[in-house]
Amino acid sequence: MAEDGFFQKVYRVARQIPYGRVTSYGAIAKYIGAAGSARMVGWAMNGAGKYPDVPAHRVVNRKGLLTGKHHFQGTNLMQQLLESEGIEVLENQIQKLDSIFWDPGKELPAF
DNA sequence: ATTCTGACGTGGG
DNA sequence: CCCCACGCCAGAA
């Protein structure tokens, strides 16, 4: 791939998150080879707003908590998007996380 | 160049 | 389960 920017890597993986599923920053970070630098993934998401194909709302922290909801336009836009996909959200936290969690390192073969 | 921050994760208590 | 401290590295001031 020509575009080997950190952001592009993150977006590439985020774009492949299936409908109704969620993943964590750490899972993506590990998949792109930046394990331990999960913060950078979230940071990259900061610029994901410019990419409509990047479902940032499907990316949450390890506990399934919507830590980045405050970065969305609305107050609870992130939760609405998740609920519209059939995901149960209560108190900014995803329910049944273990059931809808999507790990790129396991679901996806590799680069 | 230096310092601080941050949409996180892990390990120890 | 909770809380605390450390690591991580890109970008802004």
Side-chain angles (χ1 to χ4, degrees):
Chain A
M1 314 304 181
E3 56 299 324
D4 51 324
F6 189 90
F7 287 58
Q8 293 299 334
K9 286 185 181 177
V10 177
Y11 300 151
R12 206 176 302 160
V13 179
R15 250 191 293 262
Q16 299 176 69
I17 303 176
Y19 180 93
R21 296 288 213 96
V22 295
T23 189
S24 66
Y25 303 94
I28 296 177
K30 189 172 186 176
Y31 182 72
I32 67 179
S37 305
R39 288 183 156 190
M40 305 299 96
V41 177
W43 207 0
M45 281 293 144
N46 203 355
K50 300 177 294 186
Y51 302 80
D53 288 38
V54 179
H57 61 277
R58 292 184 190 148
V59 185
V60 295
N61 70 346
R62 194 184 80 78
K63 304 174 217 160
L65 197 62
L66 309 188
T67 52
K69 71 167 277 179
H70 206 267
H71 289 256
F72 281 77
Q73 292 187 353
T75 311
N76 55 342
L77 174 62
M78 188 175 186
Q79 179 170 341
Q80 287 180 18
L81 290 170
L82 291 170
E83 289 179 333
S84 70
E85 297 189 1
I87 298 177
E88 233 178 299
V89 180
L90 182 63
E91 293 293 297
N92 297 336
Q93 188 171 359
I94 294 180
Q95 307 300 309
K96 304 173 183 170
L97 180 63
D98 49 323
S99 301
I100 63 177
F101 188 79
W102 180 81
D103 189 342
K106 293 181 179 179
E107 305 299 331
L108 257 48
F111 274 110

